[in-house]
Amino acid sequence: MSSDYGICIYRPVPEPGTLEATWLEAGLPQDKPCRGLAVGGPSEGLAGSYQVTYFGPDGAEAACFDLDIKRTDHTFSLTWKKDSKVACTGVGLPLDDGLALAYRTQP
């Protein structure tokens, strides 16, 4: 993850506490969205703590983070940390089958 901003959609998969990510970042090829997998989350709902691994357009591992998703009334707040330091922050909206979000990296 090398750009200043991007978008992502998280969707739960059948395995409890697991979310599948489809993400795209400025500066990457726009014809093939990237993938990711967040594990270790709560058995129900989206809000919680996860370990997430993202894969680039070529399928190679691009980045790993600790991800915290918090639910407010009608939105989500997301924080990605690497080595206990905030690497990215984001905001999201609920979807019928997941969560759509935008994020930016921290300086």
Side-chain angles (χ1 to χ4, degrees), residues 46-47 69-77 94:
L46 299 172
I69 301 176
K70 293 185 178 171
R71 177 85 190 236
T72 58
D73 289 335
H74 303 288
T75 63
F76 289 92
S77 173

Side-chain angles (χ1 to χ4, degrees), residues 2 6 12 17 20-22 26-27 36 42 46 49 54 60 62 84 87 89-90 92 100 102:
S2 58
E20 184 179 74
T22 303
L46 299 172
S49 297
Y54 295 105
S84 299
T89 56

